[in-house]
Amino acid sequence: MPTPERYGYATARIRAMERRFVDQGVLQRMLDAEDLSSALKVLGETAYAPWLAEMKNERDFDRPISSEMFHCYEEVRQFVPDPEMGQLLRITYDFHNIKVILKSMLRHRRGQSRRWDLLTNLASRETDDLLAAMESEDYRLLPYGLSGVMEECLSVWEQTQDIVEVEKRLDAQLFRALGELAKATAFPGVLRWFRARVDAENIRNLLRLRRAGEEGVKISEFLHEGGNVSLERLVDLGSEPVESWSRVLHYADVAPYLAEMGEQGSSEAMLVMLEKALDDYISGMLAPFSYTPFAPENVLRFLWSKEIETKNVRIVLVSKTSGLDRDMVRKVLRRV
Amino acid sequence: MEQITGTMLAVLGAALAAGWSASGSAIGIGIAGESGAGVMTEDPGKFGLVLLLQALPGTQGIYGLLTAFFAIMKVGLLGGEPVAVSLWQGLGILFACLPVAIGEYTSGIAQGKTSAASIQMIAKRPEEMGKAIIMPAMVETYAVLSLLMSIILLNSIKI
């Protein structure tokens, strides 16, 4: 069983790496910059500088953001004692790639082009290996228990031609695999993070399904087991107005973050603010580990904070391309 | 026979004082060293600060060695003529060495952990070096108290 004592080196190195974070001051300067070009100049003063040269044009800022995140994941992977700690966040990208490959295969059957441009290099498994396993239909080579699920997905697709049904099964497997990874680490904070992650995903799904006009049993099909809030309570929550969710879930840790959302004019604005609230909830759950010097959860906290940082940088740069109101952008920036 | 047993008990006390204290220091320095290596991988310029903090748990080993010298000098095994040590005198020396043996072992490890945490602190806030040294230095107080008690007890044994 993994022990926290082995994290002396890793946690100290992580602490030193935290100095490379883009702080609030830099984000504000980027936000106050006149245009995208000026914002990128400010970004050039940070750890993202080496990757800015990779951009093909000014609007290609996703490339340096991904490169910095990839560099960070690879660096941490090399020194973290338990490989599961690095995979906890990258598994989402593995499943993203699987979905892209599967959808591309299905598109190809209809005579449409494949979308390899949507693949990400942030996944923990080589994209070529996933691609080879999918194209050769040798699903036993797929990781994270996907071998059984993939056959089921293809069978569902043959019967229904409904991609949402396929994605539902893949998402369910993602959270099963994530739960197994969290249990393999055996660190209490990682298990707490997993439960918070399930709650956040369930609440997010709940709002999306409500917007799509779904209710009752249909909603429960998209929810995942293993969170702090029971599935029955979440299904009941579906019939409540969003403004009262924090009151209904008053006993849960997520409640104060939901309360901060306040009332929003439109359902789109509500979804945007909910996304922020749920990200802040998970960041807030991981934050106290920074006061425990050797806690292995600091590795997870660091990687999560880096993910949030890239999200903030992306939000600011997108706002520069689309000319969004600064005050509105400030409201949706996540806490790091 | 009784004199040999008395001398051997005194030697056992000296061995425990030196051995346990050195173990405490080694573990403490090891813990701080792991953190130090982690920080220096990212920022080699902090070598001086890291070395200072890593060296702090080393004092426990020195205190143990000092007590061991006192103990074996007491029975004349280090310079001078060996003296006759009764069973009770030997037992007294053994007991007198225990505060150092236990205190230095425990404080060495505790100081190592605190030094490692301080190394993490200067990794993020190098300007707080003063505070970073004070925290592990607080642990030193109890290492010194253990040494003091062992020396008082050793001096109180008349041979």
Side-chain angles (χ1 to χ4, degrees):
Chain A
M1 186 179 139
T3 52
E5 286 73 27
R6 294 182 297 124
Y7 278 76
Y9 175 87
T11 49
R13 189 161 169 186
I14 289 271
R15 203 72 75 181
M17 286 167 75
E18 281 172 11
R19 281 175 64 83
R20 287 193 240 150
F21 275 152
V22 173
D23 60 31
Q24 288 299 314
V26 173
L27 270 181
Q28 286 302 325
R29 279 173 58 211
M30 284 174 67
L31 195 55
D32 293 335
E34 269 183 34
D35 50 20
L36 180 62
S37 178
S38 311
L40 286 169
K41 267 185 199 153
V42 178
L43 190 65
E45 298 167 14
T46 67
Y48 291 77
W51 320 116
L52 291 178
E54 291 177 0
M55 288 165 62
K56 288 176 182 159
N57 55 59
E58 270 194 348
R59 289 175 180 254
D60 190 26
F61 49 75
D62 247 346
R63 199 181 295 270
I65 292 174
S66 288
S67 295
E68 168 64 9
M69 197 65 236
F70 177 74
H71 172 71
C72 218
Y73 274 131
E74 283 300 297
E75 204 173 355
V76 170
R77 185 181 63 80
Q78 286 165 15
F79 64 78
V80 74
D82 301 303
E84 294 88 4
M85 293 294 280
Q87 285 173 8
L88 284 165
L89 292 173
R90 297 183 85 173
I91 187 173
T92 318
Y93 298 111
D94 284 307
F95 275 75
H96 166 83
N97 281 347
I98 284 288
K99 283 181 189 174
V100 170
I101 294 170
L102 181 63
K103 284 179 190 173
S104 286
M105 282 170 60
L106 298 177
R107 280 170 63 89
H108 189 63
R109 282 185 196 174
R110 289 175 166 180
Q112 294 170 313
S113 61
R114 292 184 168 112
R115 294 296 310 270
W116 299 148
D117 55 311
L118 297 176
L119 290 169
T120 174
N121 63 346
L122 294 174
S124 65
R125 304 297 170 111
E126 285 291 329
T127 314
D128 288 344
D129 294 344
L130 297 179
L131 202 57
M134 290 290 286
E135 289 200 327
S136 63
E137 296 185 13
D138 193 356
Y139 304 129
R140 290 171 306 163
L141 299 175
L142 292 174
Y144 305 122
L146 276 164
S147 51
V149 178
M150 194 50 69
E151 283 175 8
E152 189 188 335
C153 287
L154 289 168
S155 161
V156 166
W157 174 254
E158 294 297 333
Q159 291 165 27
T160 64
Q161 303 281 304
D162 185 355
I163 200 67
V164 177
E165 284 296 317
V166 173
E167 287 207 25
K168 187 172 78 180
R169 281 161 177 78
L170 288 173
D171 285 341
Q173 183 57 28
L174 163 64
F175 277 89
R176 274 195 292 273
L178 192 59
E180 281 166 21
L181 272 179
K183 275 182 199 148
T185 66
F187 296 126
V190 175
L191 293 168
R192 275 180 56 203
W193 169 82
F194 169 68
R195 286 197 290 273
R197 184 92 166 69
V198 172
D199 281 340
E201 186 68 13
N202 283 343
I203 293 170
R204 189 180 291 118
N205 282 347
L206 195 60
L207 187 62
R208 283 179 183 158
L209 290 162
R210 263 174 61 114
R211 286 180 71 209
E214 303 289 357
E215 54 187 31
V217 181
K218 189 70 179 172
I219 287 180
S220 66
E221 287 175 10
F222 287 86
L223 302 180
H224 309 289
E225 297 271 7
N228 296 308
V229 183
S230 71
L231 297 189
E232 294 76 24
R233 179 56 66 96
L234 283 166
V235 173
D236 292 344
L237 201 63
S239 57
E240 299 278 345
V242 181
E243 289 77 12
S244 67
W245 283 7
S246 62
R247 185 179 48 77
V248 178
L249 297 176
H250 64 92
Y251 60 90
D253 294 339
V254 70
Y257 297 92
L258 294 176
E260 277 177 21
M261 281 168 54
E263 287 190 16
Q264 303 297 325
S266 65
S267 61
E268 285 80 15
M270 182 66 81
L271 187 59
V272 169
M273 292 312 289
L274 182 77
E275 295 268 2
K276 173 192 154 45
L278 295 174
D279 281 343
D280 287 348
Y281 161 53
I282 296 175
S283 301
M285 192 238 103
L286 289 170
F289 291 109
S290 64
Y291 302 120
T292 314
F294 310 111
E297 289 86 349
N298 278 308
V299 176
L300 184 60
R301 186 182 57 80
F302 171 78
L303 291 173
W304 176 261
S305 302
K306 192 72 192 175
E307 284 277 358
I308 295 296
E309 176 199 280
T310 57
K311 210 174 263 188
N312 279 341
V313 169
R314 194 174 282 118
I315 288 171
V316 171
L317 293 177
V318 167
S319 78
K320 289 289 144 196
T321 57
S322 52
L324 286 172
D325 176 51
R326 283 172 194 166
D327 288 335
M328 204 192 86
V329 175
R330 270 191 197 99
K331 279 184 198 164
V332 296
L333 287 179
R334 275 69 170 161
R335 290 177 207 151
V336 181
Chain B
M1 182 65 188
E2 191 188 316
Q3 284 177 2
I4 293 171
T5 312
T7 306
M8 287 301 111
L9 283 172
V11 170
L12 176 62
L16 288 178
W20 281 28
S21 303
S23 300
S25 276
I27 296 171
I29 288 180
I31 293 169
E34 267 188 59
S35 284
V39 170
M40 283 195 295
T41 309
E42 292 300 315
D43 188 356
K46 290 207 170 73
F47 177 70
L49 304 177
V50 167
L51 186 69
L52 180 62
L53 285 164
Q54 193 195 350
L56 280 177
T59 51
Q60 279 81 348
I62 298 168
Y63 298 159
L65 188 69
L66 192 69
T67 310
F69 272 128
F70 267 120
I72 54 177
M73 278 168 66
K74 193 95 184 164
V75 295
L77 292 179
L78 192 71
E81 288 292 308
V83 293
V85 182
S86 73
L87 180 67
W88 293 109
Q89 285 169 329
L91 209 53
I93 292 171
L94 170 63
F95 286 156
C97 288
L98 287 183
V100 151
I102 299 167
E104 308 302 336
Y105 177 78
T106 316
S107 67
I109 297 170
Q111 198 170 35
K113 286 181 180 172
T114 322
S115 289
S118 289
I119 287 171
Q120 290 193 18
M121 182 178 158
I122 58 154
K124 205 162 179 184
R125 298 182 189 283
E127 68 278 8
E128 303 289 2
M129 183 61 191
K131 290 172 191 163
I133 291 179
I134 288 171
M135 284 184 284
M138 297 286 280
V139 184
E140 192 74 14
T141 313
Y142 301 94
V144 173
L145 291 182
S146 301
L147 172 70
L148 201 62
M149 184 44 68
S150 282
I151 288 174
I152 290 170
L153 289 171
L154 279 173
N155 279 337
S156 67
I157 298 165
K158 302 287 179 221
I159 296 179

